[in-house]
Amino acid sequence: MGVTVEIEGGVATVTLSNPPVNALSQAIREGLAEAVERIEADENVRAAVVIGAGGSFIAGADIREFGLPPREPSLPDVVRMLDGVTKPVVAAIAGVALGGGLEVALGCSHRIAARGAKLGLPEVNLGIIPGAGGTVLLPRIVPADRALAMIAGGKPVGAEQAAETGLVDRIATGDLLEEARAFALDAADRDMPVPLMQRDAIPPSDPKGFEAQKAAIRRKARGQMSPVACIEAVERALAMEAQAAFDAEREAFVALRDSEQSAALRHVFFAERSVSRIARAEGAEARPLSRIGIVGGGTMGAGIAAACLLAGLSVTMVERDEEAAEAGRGRVLAILDDSAARGILSSGGREAAGAAFLAAADYGALADCDLVIEAVFEDMDVKRAVFAELDRVTRADTVLASNTSYLDIDALAAGTRDPSRVIGLHFFSPAHVMKLLELIVTQKAAPDVLATGLALGKRLRKITVPAGVCDGFIGNRVMSAYRREADFMLEDGALPHEVDAAMRDFGFPMGVFQMADLAGLDIGWAMRKRQAATRDPAARYVEIADRICEAGRLGRKTGRGWYDYTDDPRGAVDPWVTALIEAESTRKGIARQAFDAERIMDRILGVMQAEGAALLAEGIAASLEAIDVVMINGYGFPRWRGGPMFMASRR
Ligand code: 3HC
Ligand code: NAI
């Protein structure tokens, strides 16, 4: 670990090593600063190469050091030193050059990248802006609009795209280090480029488009500070002297780094990387996964099938009869076609995915599957019958999973020959898009069966959160609690559009009632009717939603639900709904009170946090991070607020 310098044939090779991602810890910064001094001072050195050990350049500043007292040398100082070196310094980039890593590369006079390398400034995703000159240096290599797209978008660009824009000078076709050394010597024979700090920023290629771009970023930020700070930083880079812009960037960076939003986003960053562990599966080896079986080709079955195919797995889907199999097949192929149209799938990839997919009406087709996911109707008897079939047709080592939203998977497992191979895999709709997967840890699941579930999540590039068996697992249980609370608020004095507006202002993409209209009100209605017989008569029950459904208003698909869509596709406030709500309050003898946005969000967050605490106490969720990750990735909770449990921990 550390920085080594090797001098050979007039070229100094500076190698940074800090596994696993070569983050720029204090030791690395210090080593790099010493290396720069040596390059400048040593007469035998004509040029230098900076490269990362372990096949990747640098993933950025060490996020774990944020919040600790700063230690010299600072990264901005190191980058400025690099920029001022009077000999060519070539950044040799493989893997990733992210954040401070790209800033180090920008400090170098030249950049060469291996194919497949990724370069980016993802700071915005951590609630900060680049803090070592990124916003000042990048717009001195590429036009300001391109720079802003990278800085405020946070998405890395590939080496090829970086080469097109001039961000990298060359793409290496063979050995990266060898080519970088040759490039460095070649550069030493030519004139040294002027340091970026002495150049002017490059104005946007399309000034009008630049204004529209900024407006779009502001609109999308919806309460998050860092995207707006990115705009301000790039504007300063255009308007100010390089040094002044550099200093102002640092000041803005420090303020954002110390903000609640950045603390929240760092919490989520580490939470997403730690939640997938299951103690019981530790050390167990996943079973091989090549062909996945899906039972049910409806909304979820088709989405899950597509997700598997997009990840290069083979899929066999079984439906009730030929006609349903054909319909399911159509749904899957439509998703694949759409993915191809969006460029997510190449034409060769589309063909391969189609060839790896089979739809049948016969359970026997599942005989060679390694894992089967059931996604049939949400009905225990139907699911029991499906699992009995699966018991009959699958190999003894096939993992069996249910995508149920609420049902007791332990009970389902108990009805099978071998409950140790049964787990829950709860996907979110649309399953080929949503990042979240709840892995339901059944009582009897074998360690390697759990490991196989985790392996599938990884293969599908999902964030897999383990959850225990209960009604709704983590996400739907929390959601049911705040949905119920939203209904209470209607009776207590709020109106649907007030609740929805409060949630949107808080940062949710949609409020609960808009969401319900979009999903359709019939599913919840059917569930409430099923539960009616066993409902505690003493518990508070709000009948408003039932009245709305009884009126044939099932949401967007029927033109009316909580809102009226007949004239306004976004949904208009409906006096009929308002009158119904007020009548229900009167009928129950509730004096309606005014609800402002703060009071609405206090109640919603309060029940989210209380339900979260219950999930922790019952052992359904393993950590508060698990709850936050689920609410953020499955239910639209604003990432930059860190999740309900993070918010509770900061009070
Ligand atoms: N600092 C500290 N630790 C980091 C880190 C960083 N910048 N980046 C990754 N790690 C850690 C992860 O927490 C994880 O630790 P764990 O093994 O203990 O869980 C380990 O490195 C591996 O990370 P991943 O699991 O994410 O591995 P992947 O291979 O999937 O992804 C990656 C690698 C693409 C580098 C991804 O980790 C990533 O995107 N990292 C963050 C990059 C980033 O945001 N950089 C900007 C930092 S801020 C900055 O540079 C400010 C500057 O402008 C001053
Ligand atoms: P859906 O009604 O769209 O699809 C169910 C499909 O299962 C239908 O195509 C039906 O023909 C088929 N099917 C029924 N019985 C079958 C049998 N015995 N053999 C083979 N196929 C059979 O339902 P959806 O929305 O896809 O839900 C499926 C499951 O996923 C449910 O358990 C649901 O709770 C769960 N779920 C749904 C989510 C959603 O957002 N819709 C999200 C997460 C889970």
Side-chain angles (χ1 to χ4, degrees):
M1 208 171 91
V3 178
T4 57
V5 182
E6 249 177 278
I7 300 166
E8 199 193 317
V11 182
T13 302
V14 180
T15 308
L16 276 61
S17 170
N18 183 16
V21 296
N22 295 334
L24 293 158
S25 61
Q26 191 275 336
I28 297 289
R29 296 195 303 271
E30 188 166 60
L32 194 51
E34 283 167 12
V36 171
E37 278 167 8
R38 199 166 150 197
I39 293 163
E40 196 66 293
D42 191 333
E43 283 174 11
N44 295 320
V45 174
R46 296 183 59 218
V49 170
V50 178
I51 193 164
S56 188
F57 194 63
I58 302 166
D62 189 335
I63 305 169
R64 291 177 205 278
E65 281 186 2
F66 286 20
L68 301 176
R71 289 169 67 200
E72 298 291 314
S74 75
L75 192 58
D77 286 347
V78 176
V79 171
R80 236 174 332 210
M81 277 173 76
L82 264 170
D83 187 59
V85 175
T86 56
K87 302 171 185 178
V89 181
V90 175
I93 302 167
V96 297
L98 296 176
L102 183 57
E103 290 170 308
V104 166
L106 290 170
C108 296
S109 58
H110 299 79
R111 284 154 294 280
I112 179 170
R115 282 190 199 291
K118 292 206 178 306
L119 298 86
L121 292 168
E123 284 89 343
V124 68
N125 301 324
L126 293 168
I128 52 177
I129 61 170
T135 67
V136 182
L137 303 180
L138 187 59
R140 284 171 160 74
I141 297 188
V142 302
D145 47 348
R146 274 192 180 273
L148 180 60
M150 279 184 75
I151 294 166
K155 278 207 185 83
V157 298
E160 286 74 13
Q161 198 186 336
E164 271 166 35
T165 61
L167 174 55
V168 303
D169 305 284
R170 281 190 193 181
I171 302 269
T173 48
D175 182 79
L176 175 66
L177 179 57
E178 227 169 82
E179 290 189 28
R181 288 168 54 90
F183 185 23
L185 277 178
D186 190 35
D189 291 336
R190 287 181 277 122
D191 284 343
M192 245 315 265
V194 177
L196 286 179
M197 290 295 282
Q198 292 169 27
R199 291 195 225 167
D200 290 332
I202 308 169
S205 35
D206 166 14
K208 248 199 177 151
F210 190 47
E211 290 312 310
Q213 181 188 8
K214 289 193 280 188
I217 294 166
R218 285 183 204 277
R219 227 180 9 255
K220 236 183 100 195
R222 303 177 59 231
Q224 191 181 338
M225 298 184 297
S226 57
V228 179
C230 291
I231 298 177
E232 290 163 0
V234 172
E235 282 176 339
R236 282 193 303 266
L238 283 168
M240 291 166 113
E241 290 279 307
Q243 187 56 53
F246 207 103
D247 294 339
E249 178 202 76
R250 186 69 186 172
E251 205 177 301
F253 165 85
V254 169
L256 285 168
R257 185 196 61 194
D258 297 340
S259 70
E260 190 64 13
Q261 291 193 2
S262 177
L265 285 162
R266 294 198 304 269
H267 160 76
V268 180
F269 177 87
F270 289 115
E272 288 182 341
R273 282 161 176 77
S274 69
V275 284
S276 297
R277 288 170 198 141
I278 304 176
R280 217 200 303 163
E282 220 65 61
E285 201 173 316
R287 298 181 186 177
L289 283 177
S290 135
R291 183 164 281 278
I292 307 297
I294 312 274
V295 187
T299 311
M300 291 310 290
I304 299 167
C308 293
L309 291 165
L310 289 169
L313 292 156
S314 300
V315 171
T316 303
M317 172 191 274
V318 171
E319 258 288 353
R320 289 186 285 181
D321 49 42
E322 292 293 344
E323 202 182 319
E326 202 41 42
R329 206 172 98 84
R331 275 189 277 274
V332 174
L333 296 185
I335 299 176
L336 295 181
D337 287 341
D338 182 59
S339 304
R342 288 168 190 266
I344 299 165
L345 209 52
S346 66
S347 64
R350 166 67 187 82
E351 210 164 292
F357 176 53
L358 219 119
D362 164 22
Y363 276 76
L366 299 171
D368 63 345
C369 288
D370 304 305
L371 182 148
V372 179
I373 303 166
E374 164 278 308
V376 302
F377 302 137
E378 184 76 343
D379 180 306
M380 197 57 167
D381 291 337
V382 177
K383 290 196 192 284
R384 278 215 168 95
V386 168
F387 272 77
E389 283 293 311
L390 294 178
D391 245 349
R392 198 172 59 76
V393 300
T394 57
R395 292 192 318 255
D397 65 343
T398 301
V399 173
L400 305 183
S402 172
N403 181 50
T404 178
S405 307
Y406 290 95
L407 299 175
D408 182 344
I409 305 181
D410 277 328
L412 201 57
T416 66
R417 264 205 307 252
D418 177 12
S420 79
R421 63 171 176 150
V422 178
I423 52 173
L425 287 173
H426 184 224
F427 289 81
F428 290 75
S429 183
H432 64 292
V433 176
M434 296 289 282
K435 291 289 286 174
L436 181 65
L437 174 64
E438 283 182 323
L439 193 166
I440 315 308
V441 181
T442 48
Q443 251 168 29
K444 301 229 166 100
D448 66 333
V449 168
L450 294 169
T452 310
L454 288 175
L456 179 70
K458 202 164 196 175
R459 182 78 188 261
L460 302 182
R461 297 217 251 145
K462 307 258 183 229
I463 301 170
T464 308
V465 181
V469 176
C470 72
D471 195 0
F473 317 120
I474 296 177
N476 279 342
R477 212 172 110 176
V478 174
M479 185 191 62
S480 299
Y482 68 79
R483 272 256 25 190
R484 197 163 45 235
E485 190 67 14
D487 282 355
F488 292 165
M489 281 191 277
L490 295 186
E491 273 186 353
D492 292 343
L495 290 171
H497 66 275
E498 292 167 345
V499 175
D500 286 349
M503 290 183 76
R504 281 196 310 273
D505 287 349
F506 180 81
F508 279 89
M510 252 187 229
V512 274
F513 296 106
Q514 285 176 296
M515 191 66 213
D517 271 356
L518 189 66
L521 306 187
D522 41 338
I523 305 167
W525 189 28
M527 190 165 84
R528 290 194 299 278
K529 281 195 269 194
R530 270 202 307 276
Q531 291 170 340
T534 52
R535 192 176 296 127
D536 175 5
R540 182 173 178 184
Y541 183 75
V542 178
E543 293 180 21
I544 299 168
D546 295 341
R547 295 287 98 79
I548 288 182
C549 292
E550 284 158 13
R553 308 170 58 119
L554 301 180
R556 271 178 189 267
K557 59 185 170 190
T558 60
R560 289 196 178 95
W562 290 102
Y563 296 91
D564 184 347
Y565 301 91
T566 43
D567 290 327
D568 181 351
R570 287 171 309 165
V573 174
D574 190 335
W576 185 89
V577 174
T578 306
L580 169 72
I581 292 169
E582 288 169 355
E584 280 297 299
S585 303
T586 310
R587 187 175 69 82
K588 289 209 177 162
I590 300 169
R592 293 179 66 78
Q593 303 165 18
F595 273 81
D596 61 10
E598 196 184 334
R599 186 152 173 226
I600 290 170
M601 282 321 296
D602 275 353
R603 282 190 50 176
I604 287 181
L605 288 171
V607 292
M608 277 185 178
Q609 289 159 347
E611 201 63 36
L615 287 167
L616 286 171
E618 293 166 31
I620 301 292
S623 61
L624 66 88
E625 282 82 1
I627 299 165
D628 286 342
V629 168
V630 166
M631 295 320 293
I632 289 166
N633 289 288
Y635 298 83
F637 195 99
R639 171 175 290 262
W640 53 270
R641 291 197 190 262
M645 305 315 279
F646 174 79
M647 288 184 76
S649 76
R650 308 286 284 193
R651 271 205 306 261

